[in-house]
Amino acid sequence: MNSDDLVLRRADDSDAIEMAGVWLRSFTAALPTVRRAHDDDTVRDWFSFVVVRQHETWVAVAEGAVVGLLVLDGGDLEQLYLDPPWRGRGLGDRFMDLAKRQRPNGLALWTFQVNGAAQRFYERHGFIAVERTDGLRNEEHEPDVRYIWRPQK
C-alpha cells in the first residue's frame, strides 16, 4: 500500500477509537521520553467525547483503517499524528496541505522541544518558532515550542 491509496476525509464518531489508537501508537513511538498525562482509556474517551465532536477532525484511511489524523481548532493545528508505519511516506505533507487549505490565513501549533522530527517537518512547511516554554503550562510538563505559519502574500 502506498500513499496514493489513501483517502483523506472528515472524521465522524465511528472513527474516534481508531484515531485514539493512532495517537497512542504515534505518541509512544515519537516521544518515548515524554510522560503521558493520561492513560489509554482516558485518551480514547477524549477522542470519543471531545476531539471528534468539538473540533474539525480529519482522518487518513487506508484499506478501511485509520492511519493518520489531523485536528484543527480555530486557527490552531491541535493534532497531527500518523501511525508509525506511515511516517516518511508523504501522508504528513498531504495533511499539511489540507490544513493550509482549510486555514488559508494562517495556523499556529505547539510541539515538544524534544520532538526534533516534528520541528523539522513544520519548519520545512514554512512554520516559524515564535516562543519556547519550560513546559509548566502543558499537562506533560514538557518544554515546548510555539510555531506559526502565515501565507506569503
Side-chain angles (χ1 to χ4, degrees), residues 48-138:
S48 295
F49 300 111
V50 177
V51 175
V52 175
R53 293 181 181 182
Q54 297 179 16
H55 302 290
E56 181 179 339
T57 56
W58 294 82
V59 290
V61 178
E63 294 184 352
V66 172
V67 297
L69 63 101
L70 169 71
V71 180
L72 301 171
D73 182 17
D76 285 339
L77 192 161
E78 287 290 327
Q79 308 286 329
L80 176 56
Y81 284 89
L82 309 179
D83 221 351
W86 284 88
R87 289 187 63 198
R89 297 171 64 179
L91 177 53
D93 296 333
R94 289 179 64 180
F95 270 136
M96 187 56 63
D97 291 344
L98 172 62
K100 288 179 176 181
R101 282 194 312 273
Q102 294 299 111
R103 301 296 187 273
N105 294 324
L107 287 163
L109 62 88
W110 289 97
T111 193
F112 296 119
Q113 289 183 31
V114 71
N115 195 346
Q119 291 178 57
R120 288 186 298 277
F121 173 81
Y122 293 125
E123 290 168 4
R124 194 179 74 220
H125 284 278
F127 284 76
I128 298 169
V130 295
E131 179 183 5
R132 292 182 182 276
T133 79
D134 57 11
L136 293 180
R137 293 184 294 184
N138 65 54

